[in-house]
Amino acid sequence: MGTAEPDYTERPSRIPGAVVWRRGVREAGTSRILPDGCMDVIHCDGELFVAGPDTTAHLSWSPAGTRFTAVRFSPGTGPAVLGVAASELRDQRVALQDLWPRRRVRRLTEALDDAPDRAALLESAMLSTDFAPDPLAPHVLARLRAGESVAGIASEVGLSERQLHRRGLFLYGYGLKTLSRILRLNGALDLARRGMAFATVAATAGYADQAHLAREVKALAGVPMGELLIA
């Protein structure tokens, strides 16, 4: 099976922390989508759907000529916009009409099909939901990225670890320990893509050693680091 060769662009969204992205597939094939803790609302081929937060890599096949337009919410933001717990969408692709009123989604889909700027229209539709993000979400995310332990974050925000776990399930789709693994993986891949040696990547990203890094990459991405970097 071939590998898709997409044309991909993204820009910051007016939604705090989100990005608006577009992808056009030139050659039919499969893309490996890595877990990142995010949720996306995607328009493609006359359909609108939500990609929930993944726990492991998701393989997606697309025919040549496929065009995607999407808003990707930063971890913890999607539930406020979509009105559903992230855990209910974990590892799933769900039609937006299953979450929002069908008539509303049908009108939006039809408008997107004909819109000269689908990205701007989709972004505006998401902004019109009058959402109120949980202020805990970006704070916890920043602390995890800084390497803080779950116990330390719980103490800092005045919650028990069990309470924080439940909030994490709602906001991110999984507990904070899983989210921390996913964030660390993406940070390690960013370093490796810059040409850093794998042993140095492991030490810099906070892994015990290179073997630990290799196990985590295989567990979350499904393939070795070297294969990811040439994909």
Side-chain angles (χ1 to χ4, degrees), residues 82-143:
L82 298 172
V84 62
S87 56
E88 294 186 26
L89 303 178
R90 183 176 55 233
D91 295 319
Q92 296 187 62
R93 305 300 185 260
V94 178
L96 186 59
Q97 67 179 13
D98 292 340
L99 306 177
W100 285 4
R102 288 176 177 265
R103 181 176 296 180
R104 176 185 178 187
V105 174
R106 184 173 64 250
R107 288 174 178 168
L108 176 57
T109 304
E110 291 171 351
L112 284 166
D113 290 343
D114 298 328
D117 188 343
R118 295 177 179 176
L121 178 57
L122 182 58
E123 181 184 30
S124 295
M126 296 301 108
L127 282 164
S128 70
T129 59
D130 194 28
F131 61 94
D134 188 330
L136 183 68
H139 177 76
V140 169
L141 191 64
R143 300 305 293 146

Side-chain angles (χ1 to χ4, degrees), residues 136 139-140 143 150-160 163-164 167 176:
L136 183 68
H139 177 76
V140 169
R143 300 305 293 146
V150 174
I153 295 172
S155 176
E156 182 181 323
V157 300
L159 297 173
S160 70
Q163 289 172 323
L164 187 58
R167 291 282 286 278
L176 268 59

